[in-house]
Amino acid sequence: MITWYAVSGAIEQGLVYGMMSLGVFMTFRLLDFPDLTVDGSLPLGAAVGSVCLAQGMPPFLALIPAAFAGFLAGSVTGILNTKFNILHLLASILTMTALYSVNIRIMGGPNLPLLGLPFVFSPLIEMGITPFLASPIVFGGFAMVAGALLFWFMQTETGQALIATGDNPKMIKSMGVNTHSMIILGVGLSNAMVAVSGALIAQNQGAADVNMGVGTIVAGLASIVVGETLFGSRAGGSSVGRCVVAVVLGSVVYRLAIAFALGIKVGEFSFQPSDLNLITSILVVFALILPQLQKRLRK
Amino acid sequence: MMLRLNGVRKYFGRGTINEVLALDGVTLDIEKGEFVCVIGSNGAGKSTLMNSIAGTFFPDEGSVVLQDNAITNWPEHKRAKFIGRVFQDPLSGTSANMTIEENMAIAMLRGKRRGLSRGVKPAHRELFQNRLKKLELGLENRLHDRVGLLSGGQRQALTMLMATLVRPDILLLDEHTAALDPKTAELILSLTRELVEELSLTTLMITHNMHHALAFGSRVIMMHRGRVIFDVRGEKVKSLTVDTLLESFHSVGIAEFSDRMLLV
Ligand SMILES: Nc1ncnc2c1ncn2[C@@H]1O[C@H](COP(=O)(O)OP(=O)(O)OP(=O)(O)O)[C@@H](O)[C@H]1O
Ligand SMILES: [Mg+2]
């Protein structure tokens, strides 16, 4: 059975991973750039944020270096792709792989526990709000701010050029936009969001771990397709506002679905947390082939 | 002088067995206000000529000078400041996922710095609507529609407006009506004429239709195997006929293409 505690935990996770999903949305949908860097930039953000925290930086401030580190990682992928003509997928795999070593260097080991340190939601707890309400509130706030910022940015002159770069590079080049810069900027910003998300996740879990990023891209995609299916159109472009909301809600629904699946018991059988990546991949595969199946059925 | 190409040579697949000399030392001066029509058989190098002006790639030899700027090594996006382009594929010139006004707002900033102010400025809407009214396609009432919803002809008309929204020093049209049905093609052509006259643009238009070339061009250029083999300007264009053009084709031994062109 699924408990109220599990539901609250799932919402909290959905919100804290929401910012990550927005980052993936930005590359995957807006820039048309499948970017696996995120599997490395999520723990990178966690590592940098946690080290800063451990050095005594206030928990909110510690997110800024994390964002910078994420941006840097993303722009490395962007540069490999644009300036050195490496296929986007391969470029991102290379960065992701390199980040594994970098992250261990940053943390001085494969993980970094954050015992007895102040977190972003600590002020609320001090005000007397129970922890299992405090963190969803704080993470919800973060998801809203991140969504609003992304929405705002995409309406700016630069953001519009970025969307057009993903949609029609030939056209936007003829309009005087340097598509290389746009890709580097876009993949950078995306990974900055993912890294901040990683830093928050580390605070939520009380530790940063080099393996916490495994499956990030697939979870992000799952949130996007769930959100698009349930709440909104799949087109990027002018409907960014709606997509942003759909992606964050999709992230929450996705985590709820996972919590629900983990609660299922059929006789002796029940899912384990380690089955999660399998379930998620199947979900994404299904969402990707669904439109094709529909087309075939209609014929 | 608006544009000067000096001995421009361009190879594709240089050093491989597929090596093609697409431009074989083209030298060309285009004066301000000229309407240059480029004709020639398939693979003659017409698009390559245009792309080397637009900066899609850099020439292997030779130089390109636009007004007083030596732009030979400028990347495409940097040259876009001076150049308006319309492609053959009507889907190429617009962003399908974005709305009509978003596309036009992007075109408003051609060659300018893009910052963090609002992309679509409310103050520009009236200008967009006025430009769109000109098309008589009812698009002025559809500013918020995704461009993907428009027909190919409507998209090409919008691309024409976008290419000229900020006045370009030179307008490049690469068979921009070839993918359209005859009626829509005529519409786009008359729009082309209107815009070129209104803004007194310098224009380079590639076409396979010799009638169009003669009707529009203040200068007609014929290309063959990467060279300009025929170049007529001014008064002499008026005395040109499709037959004389065909004769010139035959004289260089490309009868096989000229028959096809006559049919267009
Ligand atoms: N990107 C490219 N890579 C390799 N070869 C190319 C490329 N672009 C053009 N070519 C070759 O260069 C030559 C000139 O091509 P171009 O496209 O300029 O011809 P065109 O005159 O525009 O012909 P068409 O009337 O068919 O459009 C052709 O032989 C073509 O195959
Ligand atoms: Mg061509």
Side-chain angles (χ1 to χ4, degrees):
Chain A
M1 245 328 278
I2 184 163
T3 60
W4 170 238
Y5 183 76
V7 169
S8 138
I11 292 175
E12 173 184 321
Q13 287 227 316
L15 292 171
V16 72
Y17 279 98
M19 199 189 294
M20 176 278 282
S21 306
L22 286 174
V24 174
F25 168 75
M26 188 167 171
T27 44
F28 195 75
R29 279 285 189 254
L30 295 182
L31 262 187
D32 196 19
F33 189 112
D35 176 34
L36 304 192
T37 315
V38 294
D39 275 33
S41 59
L42 187 111
L44 173 69
V48 171
S50 302
V51 167
C52 290
L53 206 59
Q55 297 290 319
M57 213 186 249
F60 277 95
L61 228 51
L63 302 176
I64 294 171
F68 267 105
F71 185 89
L72 208 67
S75 40
V76 167
T77 300
I79 289 169
L80 289 178
N81 170 245
T82 56
K83 304 296 178 199
F84 300 102
N85 278 319
I86 299 174
L87 181 72
H88 40 32
L89 271 177
L90 182 57
S92 65
I93 290 173
L94 288 169
T95 312
M96 175 192 84
T97 307
L99 282 175
Y100 184 85
S101 308
V102 173
N103 291 338
I104 292 178
R105 277 282 170 195
I106 292 174
M107 292 188 287
N111 53 51
L112 187 66
L114 298 170
L115 295 174
L117 291 169
F119 295 143
V120 284
F121 41 83
S122 305
L124 283 191
I125 293 174
E126 277 160 27
M127 281 162 59
I129 298 172
T130 61
F132 87 96
L133 264 182
S135 41
I137 291 172
V138 172
F139 293 145
F142 271 106
M144 264 164 62
V145 171
L149 275 177
L150 181 61
F151 176 67
W152 165 79
F153 176 68
M154 285 304 160
Q155 309 303 313
T156 65
E157 295 170 351
T158 306
Q160 296 272 299
L162 199 139
I163 294 174
T165 299
D167 193 30
N168 188 346
K170 189 171 175 181
M171 168 266 195
I172 198 70
K173 260 189 238 168
S174 80
M175 288 297 166
V177 171
N178 184 343
T179 49
H180 287 185
S181 311
M182 283 298 136
I183 289 171
I184 295 165
L185 175 72
V187 181
L189 287 178
S190 159
N191 281 281
M193 290 171 90
V194 175
V196 170
S197 176
L200 290 173
I201 293 164
Q203 296 193 16
N204 191 31
Q205 297 178 346
D209 187 295
V210 72
N211 290 316
M212 67 194 280
V214 176
T216 299
I217 180 72
V218 183
L221 290 181
S223 306
I224 293 169
V225 293
V226 168
E228 283 169 349
T229 313
L230 297 181
F231 306 108
S233 63
R234 57 149 293 170
S238 52
S239 47
V240 171
R242 188 165 166 190
C243 291
V244 164
V245 176
V247 168
V248 175
L249 291 180
S251 172
V252 172
V253 172
Y254 163 68
R255 296 289 159 179
L256 283 170
I258 295 283
F260 184 75
L262 291 179
I264 293 176
K265 233 191 174 116
V266 186
E268 285 295 285
F269 178 81
S270 65
F271 288 114
Q272 293 177 4
S274 58
D275 296 329
L276 208 128
N277 282 0
L278 175 66
I279 301 170
T280 308
S281 294
I282 292 173
L283 178 74
V284 173
V285 167
F286 190 68
L288 291 178
I289 61 176
L290 195 64
Q292 300 170 30
L293 285 180
Q294 279 173 337
K295 229 186 246 165
R296 251 179 249 172
L297 284 180
R298 241 179 263 139
K299 269 183 197 162
Chain B
M1 199 261 312
M2 178 57 77
L3 177 80
R4 164 170 291 162
L5 277 83
N6 208 338
V8 172
R9 202 179 284 269
K10 176 67 195 175
Y11 290 90
F12 286 109
R14 196 170 191 181
T16 69
I17 45 165
N18 296 321
E19 180 174 296
V20 179
L21 180 55
L23 287 182
D24 186 6
V26 173
T27 297
L28 191 66
D29 275 334
I30 295 177
E31 299 297 332
K32 203 168 176 169
E34 268 187 324
F35 195 125
V36 184
C37 286
V38 185
I39 56 176
S41 49
N42 290 104
K46 306 181 294 296
S47 297
T48 309
L49 175 75
M50 200 166 267
N51 287 335
S52 65
I53 297 170
T56 314
F57 43 66
F58 301 127
D60 297 303
E61 278 172 41
S63 63
V64 184
V65 180
L66 189 72
Q67 289 189 325
D68 292 325
N69 302 296
I71 60 170
T72 316
N73 294 314
W74 287 23
E76 188 176 356
H77 62 87
K78 196 172 164 197
R79 299 183 195 199
K81 190 172 173 182
F82 308 111
I83 297 173
R85 283 191 91 178
V86 183
F87 306 98
Q88 177 170 353
D89 180 356
L91 310 184
S92 286
T94 44
S95 166
N97 272 338
M98 305 178 85
T99 62
I100 292 180
E101 65 172 10
E102 286 173 332
N103 271 277
M104 293 186 85
I106 282 176
M108 265 315 261
L109 291 171
R110 180 165 54 75
K112 304 201 177 77
R113 273 194 74 84
R114 288 166 208 261
L116 292 178
S117 66
R118 225 185 132 86
V120 180
K121 295 176 182 56
H124 287 158
R125 286 211 174 98
E126 202 181 312
L127 170 73
F128 294 167
Q129 279 175 327
N130 283 337
R131 300 303 290 172
L132 289 166
K133 263 188 205 136
K134 215 179 162 52
L135 305 177
E136 296 174 12
L137 294 170
L139 297 182
E140 64 273 15
N141 304 318
R142 299 177 61 185
L143 282 183
H144 299 287
D145 276 3
R146 282 181 58 232
V147 167
L149 300 172
L150 306 185
S151 72
Q154 289 173 325
R155 280 180 78 165
Q156 201 66 326
L158 178 60
T159 309
M160 281 296 309
L161 285 190
M162 286 167 59
T164 53
L165 200 53
V166 175
R167 185 179 178 280
D169 289 321
I170 187 162
L171 179 64
L172 303 180
L173 310 169
D174 188 349
E175 298 192 53
H176 69 311
T177 60
L180 306 172
D181 64 79
K183 206 170 138 249
T184 316
E186 288 306 322
L187 195 117
I188 297 294
L189 277 172
S190 64
L191 175 66
T192 306
R193 193 192 289 276
E194 264 174 57
L195 288 169
V196 167
E197 275 169 15
E198 181 190 336
L199 303 166
S200 28
L201 298 174
T202 309
T203 310
L204 194 67
M205 177 169 99
I206 299 177
T207 176
H208 269 132
N209 187 316
M210 293 199 211
H211 297 284
H212 290 160
L214 294 177
F216 281 80
S218 68
R219 180 175 177 188
V220 176
I221 285 177
M222 191 185 293
M223 291 192 69
H224 183 55
R225 295 202 180 135
R227 291 166 182 261
V228 174
I229 54 163
F230 179 90
D231 183 351
V232 180
R233 68 211 300 186
E235 285 303 304
K236 283 189 197 150
V237 175
K238 293 197 182 115
S239 58
L240 276 181
T241 62
V242 171
D243 285 332
T244 51
L245 283 181
L246 285 176
E247 263 167 44
S248 348
F249 265 99
H250 284 292
S251 69
V252 291
I254 40 176
E256 69 271 33
F257 297 111
S258 55
D259 294 336
R260 190 180 85 75
M261 289 213 199
L262 190 60
L263 298 173
V264 183

